[in-house]
Structures are given as C-alpha cells and as structure tokens.
Amino acid sequence: MYKCSKESLGALLSAINEKYALYVPKKHGEGSVSSFEAYGDGENMYLSGITDRGIKELFFPQCEEIARFVTANGAFGVKETAVKSGYNVIFGARACDIKGLQTLDLVFLAEPEDRLYKSRREAGIVVSLSCGEPSETCFCTCFGVDPSKSGDIAAIGTDGAYYFEILTEKGRLLIPELSSVCKTTDDDIEAERDKIRAKAALMPAALAAKDLPDKKTDELFDLPVWDKLSAHCLGCGTCTYLCPTCQCYDIKDSKTADGAARCRFWDSCMYSDFTKMSAGQPRLTQKERYRQRFMHKLVYFKENQGIYGCVGCGRCVRKCPASAHMIKVIKELGKADERHT
Amino acid sequence: MQKQNGTELKNKAKQLLQNKTVDRVAGFCAGEFAYDPSPCVFYSAEEIEENMIYDCFCSPNFSKFLVKETKKPGRIAVFMKPCDTYSLNQLITEHKIDKDKIYIAGIGCDGMVDVFKLRNKTGSAILKASCDNGALTVKTPDGDMTFAFDEVLAERCLVCKSKKHVYYDELLCEPSFETDTGRFDKVEQIEKMSADARYEFFRSELSKCIRCNACRDACPACTCETCVFGESSSGAESRENANEFEEKLFHIIRAYHVAGRCTDCGECSRVCPQRIPLHLLNRKFILDINRFYGVYQAGETVGQIPPLTDKNESDPEV
Ligand code: SF4
Ligand code: SF4
Ligand code: SF4
Ligand code: SF4
C-alpha cells in the first residue's frame, strides 16, 4: 500500500497525467453540475461527493461513430471506427459507478463482444476514491458494493493522507507514479474502511431499500401499484441517461460529404418510440415503459445475469423531475412482498 | 415557506370531496426524503388524511398534467400557486383543458426551494428539512443548518413575476399582485455582450445538454401529441446531439415554438438535470415581444390572442 499527504495529491495526479490521459471529477462553480473531465491544469476538482454524471460515458459514450460508408471512384467501402490503443486513467470514481461497469461488462463483453466498449474497458485504469461524504440518496451497500474499496486501485482519504491499495494487475501499471510521490506503508486502514462502510449503510436510502424485492417476474408484473408509481412519470430520459447501468442504444445513419456515418447513441426505454416497429411501440403507455425500467433493474437483470441491474448510486433518486424514483419502487414492491405472504 | 400549510389544504381537499364539488383531488404525497414529494391523485378523505402534504418542496406545476387528467370522467380539484395559473390559462386558451372538469383552489406562495442549490450549501446528506418563518432548517450528519429563503430559493422564485392568481374557482390566500423582481436583468446583461461572447455563452451552456428531453416533457407549452424530436420519420429524432448543430437546433426550435405561449413558469430550468438556464432563451423572446408589440404576458387571461399569431397595422413588420 502507498501513502501520500493530502497536499501531494496534485503532484501524483500531475505525474500520472504526464504519461496517461487522466480523467478526474470536476465541478465548475456552485451552479454547475459535476462530471468527469480531462485533468488539464487540475483546477476545479470535485472530490467530496458523488458526481452528477458518472464514469459510464468514458466507456460507453452518449454518441459515437461506429463506422463510415464511403463511395470513391465508383467503389463502395466500409470503414469501421478504429479502436484506440494505450492506457488512460480515471481517478476519483465511486464504487457504485465501478460496479456499474461490471453490469455493462455482462452485456457488452458477452458474445458477440462489443469491440469499442472492450477496447475502452481494457484501456481504462480505474482508481476509486472512498466515499467520505455519502448522500442521503446512496444505497450502494444494498447491492453489496463496498464504498471504501473498488477498482484497479482503491484510494482512501483519511484526515491527513491518501492511501492507495493496488487491487488488480492493471493497477500495478501506476506503481512508478505512486512510488515517485508516495511512500509504501503497512498502516492498517481497515478501521477507516469500516467507518466509511458503516456511514454509507446508515444513509436514509440504504435503510429504506434494505429489503430488495426477491420475487419473480410473475409475482410483480401485474401489481396495481405500477399505476400509482408511474402516474406522473414524464417519460423523459433523465433517469436512464444518468444511470451507470443503463445500456440501451440506438443506431442511426446520417449523410456525410462522401457517404454516410453510422452512429450509435444512448436510447431510453422511457421514450415513446423506444424499439418502435412497424406495428408501433410494444409498450403502449408510460406505465409499461416505467415498469420495464424498474423491473429490468430489479428482476430481469438478476434473473438473467445473476446480479441486480441497479447499483444504488441514487442519481435517479436525486434527478427525477417527478420524484418517481427507485427507492419508492423498491419500497412499494417490498409492500407487495407483504401482501403476497 | 408556503402560505397555506398542509393541514389547511388537507381540510379543503376533504371538504371538496365530501360536498361533491369534485370527484378527486390532485396534490402531493410525502416522499422518501425531505424534498421529493410525489404528485398524487386522491379519491378519498382517508387517503388525503394519510398521505397528503404541502411544503416548500412541492414545486411541480400541475397544469400540464391536467391535459391528460381532464380527459377522464369527473371533475378534479387542484391547488395552484400563482405561476401555475398562468400556464393553466394558456392551456385553456389552446383548448387543451376543459374548464368544466377542473376546480382550482389558489394558494399563496413565498417560493420553492431548489434542492440542487441546497445541496451545494449543505455539502452533506440532507436528512430532514423544514421551512418556517422565512428560513429553511436542514438536519445533516454534521448537525443542523439554517438558511434564509433567499439563499435556497429557485431562480424562478427569486424573480417571481406575479403573486397574483389569474385563474381560480376559489382563493385560499389573500388576493395579490404582479411583482417586479428584475427577471429580465440577466437577459439584458447578455444582450450587452458582444455577438461572439453571446454565442459562446449559449454554446457552452447548451453543450451540456444530454437530450433527456425533460425540459420538453415538463413544459406546459409543449403539448404536441408527437414531438418532431421524438418522431423517427422526421429525421431529427436523435436522442443525442450528434453534433454541435443538433445540440442547438433542439433548443432553438423549442424556444421558437413556445415563443408567445411561454408564460415563464420556469419548469424547464427546474427539471434540467444539467442545470442549463433554459429560461434565458425564453425570456429573451418574451422581452422582444414586449418591446415590439407592447407588454404581453402569456396566460394572463383566457382567450388572449398572442401577438405573434395576431396581425395589426401597428405591427413593426407591417
Ligand atoms: S422516472 Fe423520472 S426521470 Fe425517469 S423518465 Fe420518468 S420522470 Fe423521467
Ligand atoms: S437505477 Fe437509479 S439508483 Fe440504480 S444505478 Fe440506476 S440511476 Fe443509480
Ligand atoms: S415563481 Fe412565484 S408563484 Fe411560482 S413557485 Fe416561485 S414564488 Fe411561487
Ligand atoms: S432537460 Fe436539460 S439536459 Fe435534458 S434535454 Fe432539456 S436542456 Fe437538455
């Protein structure tokens, strides 16, 4: 394990930034939202809380070109977007967001592998930062996330210092930078970790969601409570677009000067034309769409992949303009458990 | 912060059901946290007694929701703060809402809290919050904090255009007035910028947009059954801003489409997860309309003809 003073974090990040493309959480002033950006001059870093936008977009961007079609001299050609090589570093990721990557892996790295996602995943060295200041909307602990330890390297901030523990082979790549600024240590920080875990587990959202529905599709699908829960859903894409595990996308071709570009971009099951076919959208009303999003996270994903499709980041809880969020769903489905037994 | 408290609204709601003035009442149910009440429809006095609340976090504007709600049989009562009634008038004018299906009880308003602002101030978890006597008290793991309303109010409330209800069946508060709180100040500042600086200001704000469409979906002036930006055959349905042009296209088309009908209710900026000051675009249109056609407030009365759809000899373009 490595230890450096709080003041030398800048020196460490600058050292990393010299060798790798480095992304850190930033917030530009009180009125702005926080998100991951290039380290740049290291100004405006935001390390105290979870960011408004997560790390998903560094692996699965909202919009990306996947191929180009070109016609030149009467010949037609397809050019797939080249994958980039080399590593980059993401510092300050939260454990929930990193767990989110695990859910994306189950989708994008399953056959047929998504080459663009895979290349970014292989390139990304993720340094987590422990959550000293969880939000009332945090409920990661309900999904077995450890807010004090995650990623390729786990950084933990204590009163005077940062500790870095290397957790994976990829994490070892940063040993030169770590050794240039930090000292090795065998301090025992387990007690600090326990404090962080305990604090997160006591957040109101974590307490409210501790009984996750453990029911099958059939038992939850037709519950009347979906009407009530979805009644004021606007059908916007806020919850989907901010969610670290939402992975649906659409593909669109558009004309370019010499052919066409094929882009894929995030889609949302909350939209009225999601998976629209010639016969229409299979989920006719907002109730069905709403139910899809939450059942997917809490039931289908678990049935199909073995883990929940929610990681408890609380973003949809904070940002839903109608407050029709995950905690309310979990609680209502929990009551359904009572009704059934 | 609100002029009527939850108990008064509960009693009124129960009374309206019991004396059969209405069949159901729209209001707010308590949320999971201090600041996330759900819009709810109540059918019985028991439900009202058990779940209904009203406080300084009940910000959503109920007017658009009445478009769907009034297609159902029966009459619905809604408590409305002043700004909501402007949107309502506009929707009635546009024949989107049938007056006979609604019963509006006007409630006084001292403004609603902006939770994002509040979160910036507390810097830690918001465990409880309550509004009282011009201040908001928040319980956090680091102890209690108290803020003056001005520090945590939503922008739209700091520059509230009017405390007057322009539509109601019954007023639960004292009648009040239009106010001048300088809501065009920021627009005028932007007008004074150089063209390049102004372009850069909007470019940088709009570049944050994630095209979640929440602004459109919450906007009471956006009531098209199918939006051009949600219809695949339009060729402009992209969820994502594929390029900088699309990014601006969405917002500029939207601002033009609601020009003259936007009441400046502030829902767009309230719901934007990216905190884009969308109201500035709309306010610029309002200010221009005021300058060119005389002061005009959309939603002030039912049946007004907006200057942009009206033609007069005195119009500047004639
Ligand atoms: S649940 Fe909330 S954020 Fe999600 S689509 Fe509905 S209104 Fe939008
Ligand atoms: S469903 Fe909501 S709380 Fe769960 S991971 Fe997605 S945004 Fe976070
Ligand atoms: S804009 Fe005015 S009426 Fe509307 S919520 Fe704010 S203070 Fe109340
Ligand atoms: S609500 Fe904000 S982020 Fe969403 S589409 Fe509108 S401007 Fe863009």
Side-chain angles (χ1 to χ4, degrees), chain A residues 11-38:
Chain A
L12 173 65
L13 294 177
S14 301
I16 296 174
N17 192 44
E18 297 234 318
K19 187 150 159 210
Y20 303 96
L22 171 63
Y23 298 92
V24 296
K26 287 198 174 186
K27 182 173 165 94
H28 302 269
E30 275 217 343
S32 92
V33 293
S34 46
S35 61
F36 282 77
E37 286 173 39

PDB file of all heavy atoms in Angstrom, chain A residues 11-38:
ATOM      1  N   ALA A  11       0.523  16.511  -7.040  1.00  0.00           N
ATOM      2  CA  ALA A  11       1.789  16.058  -7.636  1.00  0.00           C
ATOM      3  C   ALA A  11       1.624  14.662  -8.228  1.00  0.00           C
ATOM      4  O   ALA A  11       2.098  14.377  -9.333  1.00  0.00           O
ATOM      5  CB  ALA A  11       2.889  16.061  -6.583  1.00  0.00           C
ATOM      6  N   LEU A  12       0.905  13.821  -7.508  1.00  0.00           N
ATOM      7  CA  LEU A  12       0.682  12.458  -8.002  1.00  0.00           C
ATOM      8  C   LEU A  12      -0.126  12.489  -9.305  1.00  0.00           C
ATOM      9  O   LEU A  12       0.224  11.849 -10.299  1.00  0.00           O
ATOM     10  CB  LEU A  12      -0.045  11.621  -6.943  1.00  0.00           C
ATOM     11  CG  LEU A  12      -0.484  10.231  -7.395  1.00  0.00           C
ATOM     12  CD1 LEU A  12       0.716   9.341  -7.709  1.00  0.00           C
ATOM     13  CD2 LEU A  12      -1.366   9.553  -6.346  1.00  0.00           C
ATOM     14  N   LEU A  13      -1.212  13.268  -9.283  1.00  0.00           N
ATOM     15  CA  LEU A  13      -2.068  13.306 -10.473  1.00  0.00           C
ATOM     16  C   LEU A  13      -1.316  13.918 -11.656  1.00  0.00           C
ATOM     17  O   LEU A  13      -1.455  13.456 -12.790  1.00  0.00           O
ATOM     18  CB  LEU A  13      -3.363  14.063 -10.174  1.00  0.00           C
ATOM     19  CG  LEU A  13      -4.294  13.369  -9.157  1.00  0.00           C
ATOM     20  CD1 LEU A  13      -5.515  14.223  -8.868  1.00  0.00           C
ATOM     21  CD2 LEU A  13      -4.729  11.986  -9.646  1.00  0.00           C
ATOM     22  N   SER A  14      -0.506  14.930 -11.382  1.00  0.00           N
ATOM     23  CA  SER A  14       0.276  15.520 -12.474  1.00  0.00           C
ATOM     24  C   SER A  14       1.240  14.495 -13.058  1.00  0.00           C
ATOM     25  O   SER A  14       1.419  14.431 -14.278  1.00  0.00           O
ATOM     26  CB  SER A  14       1.073  16.732 -11.995  1.00  0.00           C
ATOM     27  OG  SER A  14       0.192  17.692 -11.488  1.00  0.00           O
ATOM     28  N   ALA A  15       1.835  13.704 -12.185  1.00  0.00           N
ATOM     29  CA  ALA A  15       2.757  12.668 -12.665  1.00  0.00           C
ATOM     30  C   ALA A  15       2.014  11.670 -13.550  1.00  0.00           C
ATOM     31  O   ALA A  15       2.490  11.285 -14.627  1.00  0.00           O
ATOM     32  CB  ALA A  15       3.409  11.960 -11.480  1.00  0.00           C
ATOM     33  N   ILE A  16       0.818  11.272 -13.125  1.00  0.00           N
ATOM     34  CA  ILE A  16       0.022  10.334 -13.935  1.00  0.00           C
ATOM     35  C   ILE A  16      -0.350  10.993 -15.262  1.00  0.00           C
ATOM     36  O   ILE A  16      -0.265  10.400 -16.333  1.00  0.00           O
ATOM     37  CB  ILE A  16      -1.240   9.882 -13.166  1.00  0.00           C
ATOM     38  CG1 ILE A  16      -0.847   9.103 -11.910  1.00  0.00           C
ATOM     39  CG2 ILE A  16      -2.156   9.053 -14.055  1.00  0.00           C
ATOM     40  CD1 ILE A  16      -2.009   8.734 -10.997  1.00  0.00           C
ATOM     41  N   ASN A  17      -0.739  12.251 -15.155  1.00  0.00           N
ATOM     42  CA  ASN A  17      -1.199  12.991 -16.332  1.00  0.00           C
ATOM     43  C   ASN A  17      -0.093  13.158 -17.384  1.00  0.00           C
ATOM     44  O   ASN A  17      -0.372  13.309 -18.568  1.00  0.00           O
ATOM     45  CB  ASN A  17      -1.725  14.361 -15.883  1.00  0.00           C
ATOM     46  CG  ASN A  17      -2.480  15.077 -16.982  1.00  0.00           C
ATOM     47  OD1 ASN A  17      -3.290  14.465 -17.670  1.00  0.00           O
ATOM     48  ND2 ASN A  17      -2.208  16.352 -17.158  1.00  0.00           N
ATOM     49  N   GLU A  18       1.155  13.131 -16.946  1.00  0.00           N
ATOM     50  CA  GLU A  18       2.265  13.253 -17.899  1.00  0.00           C
ATOM     51  C   GLU A  18       2.323  12.054 -18.827  1.00  0.00           C
ATOM     52  O   GLU A  18       2.712  12.153 -19.980  1.00  0.00           O
ATOM     53  CB  GLU A  18       3.589  13.332 -17.146  1.00  0.00           C
ATOM     54  CG  GLU A  18       3.685  14.543 -16.275  1.00  0.00           C
ATOM     55  CD  GLU A  18       4.924  15.354 -16.565  1.00  0.00           C
ATOM     56  OE1 GLU A  18       6.001  14.747 -16.763  1.00  0.00           O
ATOM     57  OE2 GLU A  18       4.792  16.589 -16.589  1.00  0.00           O
ATOM     58  N   LYS A  19       1.949  10.889 -18.265  1.00  0.00           N
ATOM     59  CA  LYS A  19       2.104   9.669 -19.038  1.00  0.00           C
ATOM     60  C   LYS A  19       0.802   9.177 -19.665  1.00  0.00           C
ATOM     61  O   LYS A  19       0.803   8.566 -20.729  1.00  0.00           O
ATOM     62  CB  LYS A  19       2.670   8.593 -18.117  1.00  0.00           C
ATOM     63  CG  LYS A  19       3.042   7.322 -18.805  1.00  0.00           C
ATOM     64  CD  LYS A  19       4.180   6.626 -18.094  1.00  0.00           C
ATOM     65  CE  LYS A  19       4.236   5.159 -18.450  1.00  0.00           C
ATOM     66  NZ  LYS A  19       4.788   4.361 -17.360  1.00  0.00           N
ATOM     67  N   TYR A  20      -0.307   9.429 -18.995  1.00  0.00           N
ATOM     68  CA  TYR A  20      -1.592   8.891 -19.469  1.00  0.00           C
ATOM     69  C   TYR A  20      -2.600  10.016 -19.657  1.00  0.00           C
ATOM     70  O   TYR A  20      -2.487  11.063 -19.031  1.00  0.00           O
ATOM     71  CB  TYR A  20      -2.177   7.927 -18.425  1.00  0.00           C
ATOM     72  CG  TYR A  20      -1.291   6.773 -18.060  1.00  0.00           C
ATOM     73  CD1 TYR A  20      -0.470   6.836 -16.934  1.00  0.00           C
ATOM     74  CD2 TYR A  20      -1.284   5.616 -18.829  1.00  0.00           C
ATOM     75  CE1 TYR A  20       0.343   5.762 -16.582  1.00  0.00           C
ATOM     76  CE2 TYR A  20      -0.475   4.541 -18.486  1.00  0.00           C
ATOM     77  CZ  TYR A  20       0.336   4.623 -17.363  1.00  0.00           C
ATOM     78  OH  TYR A  20       1.128   3.562 -17.030  1.00  0.00           O
ATOM     79  N   ALA A  21      -3.614   9.737 -20.459  1.00  0.00           N
ATOM     80  CA  ALA A  21      -4.768  10.634 -20.451  1.00  0.00           C
ATOM     81  C   ALA A  21      -5.464  10.392 -19.117  1.00  0.00           C
ATOM     82  O   ALA A  21      -5.799   9.261 -18.778  1.00  0.00           O
ATOM     83  CB  ALA A  21      -5.699  10.288 -21.607  1.00  0.00           C
ATOM     84  N   LEU A  22      -5.667  11.451 -18.348  1.00  0.00           N
ATOM     85  CA  LEU A  22      -6.226  11.308 -16.999  1.00  0.00           C
ATOM     86  C   LEU A  22      -7.563  12.037 -16.897  1.00  0.00           C
ATOM     87  O   LEU A  22      -7.687  13.188 -17.306  1.00  0.00           O
ATOM     88  CB  LEU A  22      -5.236  11.885 -15.973  1.00  0.00           C
ATOM     89  CG  LEU A  22      -5.724  12.027 -14.529  1.00  0.00           C
ATOM     90  CD1 LEU A  22      -6.050  10.669 -13.914  1.00  0.00           C
ATOM     91  CD2 LEU A  22      -4.680  12.763 -13.668  1.00  0.00           C
ATOM     92  N   TYR A  23      -8.548  11.352 -16.357  1.00  0.00           N
ATOM     93  CA  TYR A  23      -9.866  11.957 -16.146  1.00  0.00           C
ATOM     94  C   TYR A  23     -10.153  12.045 -14.659  1.00  0.00           C
ATOM     95  O   TYR A  23      -9.922  11.084 -13.919  1.00  0.00           O
ATOM     96  CB  TYR A  23     -10.958  11.129 -16.836  1.00  0.00           C
ATOM     97  CG  TYR A  23     -10.761  11.073 -18.327  1.00  0.00           C
ATOM     98  CD1 TYR A  23     -10.028  10.034 -18.904  1.00  0.00           C
ATOM     99  CD2 TYR A  23     -11.261  12.075 -19.145  1.00  0.00           C
ATOM    100  CE1 TYR A  23      -9.812   9.993 -20.271  1.00  0.00           C
ATOM    101  CE2 TYR A  23     -11.040  12.048 -20.511  1.00  0.00           C
ATOM    102  CZ  TYR A  23     -10.323  11.003 -21.071  1.00  0.00           C
ATOM    103  OH  TYR A  23     -10.113  10.981 -22.415  1.00  0.00           O
ATOM    104  N   VAL A  24     -10.675  13.170 -14.253  1.00  0.00           N
ATOM    105  CA  VAL A  24     -10.987  13.377 -12.827  1.00  0.00           C
ATOM    106  C   VAL A  24     -12.358  14.042 -12.711  1.00  0.00           C
ATOM    107  O   VAL A  24     -12.825  14.667 -13.661  1.00  0.00           O
ATOM    108  CB  VAL A  24      -9.933  14.295 -12.161  1.00  0.00           C
ATOM    109  CG1 VAL A  24      -8.553  13.658 -12.148  1.00  0.00           C
ATOM    110  CG2 VAL A  24      -9.898  15.664 -12.830  1.00  0.00           C
ATOM    111  N   PRO A  25     -13.010  13.889 -11.553  1.00  0.00           N
ATOM    112  CA  PRO A  25     -14.294  14.582 -11.371  1.00  0.00           C
ATOM    113  C   PRO A  25     -14.075  16.084 -11.200  1.00  0.00           C
ATOM    114  O   PRO A  25     -13.193  16.494 -10.453  1.00  0.00           O
ATOM    115  CB  PRO A  25     -14.854  13.964 -10.085  1.00  0.00           C
ATOM    116  CG  PRO A  25     -13.727  13.259  -9.421  1.00  0.00           C
ATOM    117  CD  PRO A  25     -12.650  13.034 -10.412  1.00  0.00           C
ATOM    118  N   LYS A  26     -14.872  16.868 -11.904  1.00  0.00           N
ATOM    119  CA  LYS A  26     -14.749  18.323 -11.816  1.00  0.00           C
ATOM    120  C   LYS A  26     -16.105  18.975 -11.671  1.00  0.00           C
ATOM    121  O   LYS A  26     -17.120  18.432 -12.106  1.00  0.00           O
ATOM    122  CB  LYS A  26     -14.081  18.871 -13.083  1.00  0.00           C
ATOM    123  CG  LYS A  26     -12.598  18.563 -13.164  1.00  0.00           C
ATOM    124  CD  LYS A  26     -11.939  19.474 -14.163  1.00  0.00           C
ATOM    125  CE  LYS A  26     -10.429  19.260 -14.118  1.00  0.00           C
ATOM    126  NZ  LYS A  26      -9.722  20.222 -14.973  1.00  0.00           N
ATOM    127  N   LYS A  27     -16.072  20.130 -11.082  1.00  0.00           N
ATOM    128  CA  LYS A  27     -17.288  20.941 -10.959  1.00  0.00           C
ATOM    129  C   LYS A  27     -16.865  22.389 -11.082  1.00  0.00           C
ATOM    130  O   LYS A  27     -15.993  22.842 -10.357  1.00  0.00           O
ATOM    131  CB  LYS A  27     -17.918  20.678  -9.590  1.00  0.00           C
ATOM    132  CG  LYS A  27     -19.217  21.397  -9.327  1.00  0.00           C
ATOM    133  CD  LYS A  27     -19.798  20.904  -7.996  1.00  0.00           C
ATOM    134  CE  LYS A  27     -20.893  21.811  -7.490  1.00  0.00           C
ATOM    135  NZ  LYS A  27     -22.225  21.409  -7.876  1.00  0.00           N
ATOM    136  N   HIS A  28     -17.473  23.087 -12.042  1.00  0.00           N
ATOM    137  CA  HIS A  28     -17.052  24.468 -12.287  1.00  0.00           C
ATOM    138  C   HIS A  28     -17.985  25.438 -11.587  1.00  0.00           C
ATOM    139  O   HIS A  28     -18.931  25.933 -12.179  1.00  0.00           O
ATOM    140  CB  HIS A  28     -17.026  24.754 -13.791  1.00  0.00           C
ATOM    141  CG  HIS A  28     -16.124  23.818 -14.539  1.00  0.00           C
ATOM    142  ND1 HIS A  28     -14.806  24.078 -14.769  1.00  0.00           N
ATOM    143  CD2 HIS A  28     -16.347  22.578 -15.049  1.00  0.00           C
ATOM    144  CE1 HIS A  28     -14.251  23.071 -15.420  1.00  0.00           C
ATOM    145  NE2 HIS A  28     -15.173  22.140 -15.594  1.00  0.00           N
ATOM    146  N   GLY A  29     -17.767  25.659 -10.338  1.00  0.00           N
ATOM    147  CA  GLY A  29     -18.582  26.633  -9.617  1.00  0.00           C
ATOM    148  C   GLY A  29     -19.863  26.027  -9.083  1.00  0.00           C
ATOM    149  O   GLY A  29     -20.284  24.943  -9.494  1.00  0.00           O
ATOM    150  N   GLU A  30     -20.506  26.754  -8.186  1.00  0.00           N
ATOM    151  CA  GLU A  30     -21.683  26.250  -7.462  1.00  0.00           C
ATOM    152  C   GLU A  30     -22.841  25.855  -8.364  1.00  0.00           C
ATOM    153  O   GLU A  30     -23.534  24.892  -8.100  1.00  0.00           O
ATOM    154  CB  GLU A  30     -22.189  27.331  -6.497  1.00  0.00           C
ATOM    155  CG  GLU A  30     -21.501  27.344  -5.162  1.00  0.00           C
ATOM    156  CD  GLU A  30     -22.466  27.664  -4.027  1.00  0.00           C
ATOM    157  OE1 GLU A  30     -23.561  28.175  -4.315  1.00  0.00           O
ATOM    158  OE2 GLU A  30     -22.105  27.402  -2.870  1.00  0.00           O
ATOM    159  N   GLY A  31     -23.025  26.649  -9.427  1.00  0.00           N
ATOM    160  CA  GLY A  31     -24.213  26.410 -10.226  1.00  0.00           C
ATOM    161  C   GLY A  31     -24.075  25.253 -11.201  1.00  0.00           C
ATOM    162  O   GLY A  31     -25.043  24.842 -11.821  1.00  0.00           O
ATOM    163  N   SER A  32     -22.873  24.737 -11.361  1.00  0.00           N
ATOM    164  CA  SER A  32     -22.690  23.753 -12.429  1.00  0.00           C
ATOM    165  C   SER A  32     -22.759  22.326 -11.897  1.00  0.00           C
ATOM    166  O   SER A  32     -22.570  22.076 -10.711  1.00  0.00           O
ATOM    167  CB  SER A  32     -21.376  24.016 -13.162  1.00  0.00           C
ATOM    168  OG  SER A  32     -20.325  23.277 -12.591  1.00  0.00           O
ATOM    169  N   VAL A  33     -23.011  21.411 -12.804  1.00  0.00           N
ATOM    170  CA  VAL A  33     -23.069  20.006 -12.409  1.00  0.00           C
ATOM    171  C   VAL A  33     -21.658  19.415 -12.485  1.00  0.00           C
ATOM    172  O   VAL A  33     -20.792  19.936 -13.178  1.00  0.00           O
ATOM    173  CB  VAL A  33     -24.019  19.194 -13.320  1.00  0.00           C
ATOM    174  CG1 VAL A  33     -25.451  19.631 -13.120  1.00  0.00           C
ATOM    175  CG2 VAL A  33     -23.621  19.300 -14.774  1.00  0.00           C
ATOM    176  N   SER A  34     -21.448  18.326 -11.778  1.00  0.00           N
ATOM    177  CA  SER A  34     -20.126  17.718 -11.749  1.00  0.00           C
ATOM    178  C   SER A  34     -20.078  16.520 -12.685  1.00  0.00           C
ATOM    179  O   SER A  34     -21.058  15.788 -12.830  1.00  0.00           O
ATOM    180  CB  SER A  34     -19.791  17.286 -10.323  1.00  0.00           C
ATOM    181  OG  SER A  34     -20.884  16.605  -9.743  1.00  0.00           O
ATOM    182  N   SER A  35     -18.917  16.343 -13.329  1.00  0.00           N
ATOM    183  CA  SER A  35     -18.753  15.206 -14.224  1.00  0.00           C
ATOM    184  C   SER A  35     -17.257  14.948 -14.399  1.00  0.00           C
ATOM    185  O   SER A  35     -16.428  15.728 -13.938  1.00  0.00           O
ATOM    186  CB  SER A  35     -19.398  15.497 -15.575  1.00  0.00           C
ATOM    187  OG  SER A  35     -18.775  16.609 -16.163  1.00  0.00           O
ATOM    188  N   PHE A  36     -16.929  13.861 -15.082  1.00  0.00           N
ATOM    189  CA  PHE A  36     -15.524  13.515 -15.298  1.00  0.00           C
ATOM    190  C   PHE A  36     -14.983  14.225 -16.527  1.00  0.00           C
ATOM    191  O   PHE A  36     -15.608  14.205 -17.576  1.00  0.00           O
ATOM    192  CB  PHE A  36     -15.370  11.997 -15.419  1.00  0.00           C
ATOM    193  CG  PHE A  36     -15.412  11.336 -14.065  1.00  0.00           C
ATOM    194  CD1 PHE A  36     -16.613  11.152 -13.405  1.00  0.00           C
ATOM    195  CD2 PHE A  36     -14.245  10.965 -13.427  1.00  0.00           C
ATOM    196  CE1 PHE A  36     -16.661  10.584 -12.135  1.00  0.00           C
ATOM    197  CE2 PHE A  36     -14.274  10.406 -12.161  1.00  0.00           C
ATOM    198  CZ  PHE A  36     -15.482  10.204 -11.511  1.00  0.00           C
ATOM    199  N   GLU A  37     -13.839  14.852 -16.333  1.00  0.00           N
ATOM    200  CA  GLU A  37     -13.239  15.619 -17.425  1.00  0.00           C
ATOM    201  C   GLU A  37     -11.744  15.395 -17.437  1.00  0.00           C
ATOM    202  O   GLU A  37     -11.174  14.948 -16.436  1.00  0.00           O
ATOM    203  CB  GLU A  37     -13.456  17.116 -17.191  1.00  0.00           C
ATOM    204  CG  GLU A  37     -14.852  17.596 -17.438  1.00  0.00           C
ATOM    205  CD  GLU A  37     -15.003  19.053 -17.024  1.00  0.00           C
ATOM    206  OE1 GLU A  37     -14.068  19.838 -17.268  1.00  0.00           O
ATOM    207  OE2 GLU A  37     -16.049  19.374 -16.443  1.00  0.00           O
ATOM    208  N   ALA A  38     -11.110  15.779 -18.534  1.00  0.00           N
ATOM    209  CA  ALA A  38      -9.653  15.688 -18.611  1.00  0.00           C
ATOM    210  C   ALA A  38      -9.040  16.509 -17.478  1.00  0.00           C
ATOM    211  O   ALA A  38      -9.545  17.572 -17.128  1.00  0.00           O
ATOM    212  CB  ALA A  38      -9.177  16.204 -19.964  1.00  0.00           C
TER     213      ALA A  38
END
